[in-house]
């Protein structure tokens, strides 16, 4: 039975799974840490990828492979294939002013219509504008722009800087997929084409961009093995979960994401919903929140309890927490866009101000924040029939039991797993068929 390899190169670490192509069963796995920071030398990802592959027992017996990775990061390459500067990650906010400038120049509605996105500091487009304005000499050297998963795929296929890769710096061999391209801010998911005018407006000149492969397309590595297009992390996770139209994936990590599989492209001029593509040929409109599992962390620390004890307390309180309400904007919020907001606790009376009610208010407040993302998707006509709850916060019994009431739909909680890497492995298995 052939084996395939799936990779999740996330912000914090690189995870590798080796999977039976026909059954999806994980045969072995490995991981390696990434450095902290919002700007990282991509070579650190390359070292971690090789270490994680070694930890998983190598890939000599692998028939095909695919890489999923963190979206939006700017990997700028010169004509020799060398990285020009540390990659700015999705969570690097120095380009917030550049996002405002682009919106002022083009208009939010125009940008949403052309790319499915209204620029924020996360997106690659704004990072390129920042580079043009803050580091013009570096911007002038840019010959190609890649995303983290694009660059790692290129390197693992055998390409790279002059003198350090067997196949050399063939920049035209950079490839990506629809999902990751849709997070750049200069690709249109509706027509599948790069918007070169926006790229030039951001960077100051044109550059080589990765060829966008369709869901069933592939390239080869230096050993002749087929290589799938890969995907951005949210799209790879949706693929790993088997999400279909009507499903919404609610991920409760430190921050939260709400993304739904849609058959039609979505463009939201308010910028609340990012109109991404998915890894199958459909679309993946997504809403991000800043305050998710961290709400539970903060409340558990305040009460001096473990997460399991916080869950027990919450389940001993009545729905609505006797009127106690936590608005959990501890570090501002992205949905709604209130970067300077703070958290607040209201409805405090002698009867309502109890430990169980505070625990319940934290769970309900966190879920209501994610529910705002569902409301934004519904408002754009995205069909939502079932929620798939994943991430660390989904392991709370209170969250699992309270979620259907707050989210207003059936909720399923898949077993914990490396769904980004598993989605990449599923993609690799598909190109063998």
């Amino acid at each position: 039975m052939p084996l395939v390899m799936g990779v999740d190169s996330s912000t914090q670490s690189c995870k590798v799974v080796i999977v039976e192509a026909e059954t999806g069963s994980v045969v072995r796995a490995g991981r390696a840490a990434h450095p902290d920071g919002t700007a990282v030398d991509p070579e650190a990802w390359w070292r971690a990828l090789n270490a994680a592959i070694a930890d998983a027992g190598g890939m000599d017996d692998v028939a095909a492979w695919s890489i999923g990775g963190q979206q939006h990061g700017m990997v700028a390459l010169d004509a020799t294939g060398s990285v020009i500067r540390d990659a700015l990650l999705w969570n690097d906010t120095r380009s917030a002013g550049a996002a405002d400038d682009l919106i002022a120049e083009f208009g939010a509605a125009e940008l949403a219509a052309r790319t499915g996105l209204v620029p924020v500091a996360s997106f690659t487009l704004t990072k390129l504008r920042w580079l043009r304005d803050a580091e013009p000499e570096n911007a002038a050297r840019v010959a190609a722009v890649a995303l983290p998963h694009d660059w790692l795929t290129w390197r693992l296929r055998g390409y790279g800087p002059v003198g350090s890769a067997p196949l050399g710096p063939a920049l035209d061999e950079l490839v990506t997929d629809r999902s990751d391209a849709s997070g750049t801010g200069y690709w249109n998911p509706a027509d599948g084409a790069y918007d070169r005018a926006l790229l030039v407006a951001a960077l100051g000149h044109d550059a080589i961009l990765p060829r966008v492969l369709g869901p069933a397309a592939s390239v080869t590595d230096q050993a002749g093995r087929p290589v799938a297009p890969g995907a951005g992390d949210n799209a790879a996770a949706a693929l790993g979960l088997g999400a279909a139209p009507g499903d919404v994936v609610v991920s409760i990590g430190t921050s939260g994401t709400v993304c739904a599989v849609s058959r039609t492209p979505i463009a939201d001029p308010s910028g609340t919903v990012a109109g991404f593509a998915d890894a199958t040929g459909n679309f993946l409109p997504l809403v991000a929140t800043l305050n998710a599992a961290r709400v539970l962390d903060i409340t558990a620390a305040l009460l001096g309890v473990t997460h399991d004890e916080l869950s027990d307390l919450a389940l001993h309180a009545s729905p609505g927490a006797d009127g106690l309400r936590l608005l959990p904007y501890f570090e501002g919020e992205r949905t709604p866009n209130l970067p300077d907001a703070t958290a607040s606790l209201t409805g405090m009376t002698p009867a309502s101000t109890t430990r169980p009610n505070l625990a319940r208010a934290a769970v309900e407040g966190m879920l209501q924040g994610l529910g705002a993302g569902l409301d934004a998707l519904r408002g754009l006509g995205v069909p939502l029939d079932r929620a798939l709850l994943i991430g660390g916060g989904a392991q709370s019994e209170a969250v699992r039991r309270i979620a259907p009431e707050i989210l207003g739909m059936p909720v399923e909680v898949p077993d914990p797993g490396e769904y980004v890497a598993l989605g990449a492995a599923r993609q690799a298995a598909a190109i063998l068929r």
Side-chain angles (χ1 to χ4, degrees):
M1 183 178 296
L3 300 179
V4 295
M5 182 178 75
V7 176
D8 172 14
S9 181
S10 72
T11 312
Q12 293 84 15
S13 62
C14 183
K15 284 83 70 177
V16 169
V17 294
I18 309 296
V19 171
E20 290 182 346
E22 294 181 15
T23 67
S25 298
V26 177
V27 175
R28 55 187 195 267
R31 82 166 46 219
H34 284 162
D36 293 332
T38 63
V40 173
D41 182 352
E43 286 293 331
W45 301 333
W46 175 237
R47 291 192 295 270
L49 173 61
N50 283 283
I53 290 172
D55 190 42
M59 56 187 296
D60 288 345
D61 56 351
V62 165
W65 54 272
S66 176
I67 297 178
Q70 55 178 302
Q71 288 188 263
H72 313 309
M74 179 193 74
V75 182
L77 304 175
D78 67 16
T80 72
S82 297
V83 173
I84 292 171
R85 67 161 343 272
D86 286 355
L88 301 186
L89 308 191
W90 63 274
N91 54 355
D92 190 295
T93 60
R94 73 186 73 183
S95 61
D100 293 339
D101 292 343
L102 288 162
I103 293 170
E105 290 172 26
F106 292 93
E110 173 72 10
L111 290 164
R114 289 169 67 166
T115 68
L117 306 176
V118 176
V120 294
S122 300
F123 303 148
T124 319
L125 180 77
T126 69
K127 300 178 189 305
L128 291 174
R129 170 56 72 88
W130 175 88
L131 187 70
R132 188 200 76 173
D133 294 342
E135 299 178 359
E137 292 183 358
N138 280 337
R141 293 174 56 204
V142 174
V145 182
L147 301 172
H149 114 256
D150 313 339
W151 184 80
L152 286 169
T153 299
W154 186 67
R155 291 299 307 272
L156 194 57
R157 289 176 61 210
Y159 300 98
V162 170
S164 66
L167 301 182
L171 297 177
D172 58 356
E173 286 292 339
L174 285 163
V175 295
T176 191
D177 83 304
R178 297 170 68 254
S179 71
D180 233 0
S182 69
T184 61
Y186 45 80
W187 187 79
N188 188 336
D191 65 15
Y194 282 117
D195 193 319
R196 294 276 175 179
L198 289 178
L199 173 68
V200 172
L203 180 60
H205 61 87
D206 206 352
I208 294 170
L209 297 174
R211 182 161 43 101
V212 181
L213 301 179
S218 65
V219 289
T220 58
D221 65 11
Q222 57 186 320
R225 288 175 293 211
V227 179
D233 49 6
N234 292 298
L239 184 61
L241 287 163
D247 288 337
V248 56
V249 179
V250 181
S251 178
I252 309 176
T254 302
S255 57
T257 58
V258 177
C259 56
V261 181
S262 171
R263 289 190 173 90
T264 57
I266 299 297
D268 178 11
S270 77
T272 300
V273 178
F276 298 147
D278 80 347
T280 71
N282 287 313
F283 301 88
L284 198 73
L286 180 145
V287 178
T289 69
L290 291 180
N291 298 278
R294 74 179 69 199
V295 178
L296 306 182
D297 297 340
I298 292 168
T299 308
L302 176 65
L303 293 173
V305 297
T306 67
H307 279 277
D308 286 344
E309 290 168 338
L310 181 76
S311 177
D312 290 341
L313 283 169
L315 292 173
H316 278 88
S318 301
D322 294 325
L324 195 67
R325 183 170 184 264
L326 175 64
L327 190 66
Y329 299 162
F330 287 99
E331 297 191 48
E333 187 48 80
R334 179 172 169 182
T335 304
N337 186 24
L338 299 170
D340 299 320
T342 57
S344 60
L345 187 66
T346 58
M348 298 176 71
T349 67
S352 69
T353 310
T354 66
R355 289 163 61 85
N357 279 339
L358 179 56
R360 181 90 185 198
V363 173
E364 291 185 353
M366 179 195 71
L367 289 169
Q368 285 161 354
L370 294 165
L374 295 176
D375 291 340
L377 293 170
R378 290 189 185 101
L380 293 171
V382 179
L384 304 177
D385 302 321
R386 176 184 68 154
L388 299 170
L389 217 60
I390 63 172
Q395 303 314 304
S396 162
E397 179 67 18
V399 169
R400 294 195 295 267
R401 288 171 58 178
I402 296 169
E405 171 193 338
I406 301 296
L407 301 182
M409 65 171 56
V411 171
E412 295 184 15
V413 183
D415 291 335
E418 298 291 353
Y419 285 107
V420 175
L422 290 170
R426 176 175 286 190
Q427 190 185 63
I431 63 172
L432 288 179
R433 300 189 185 112

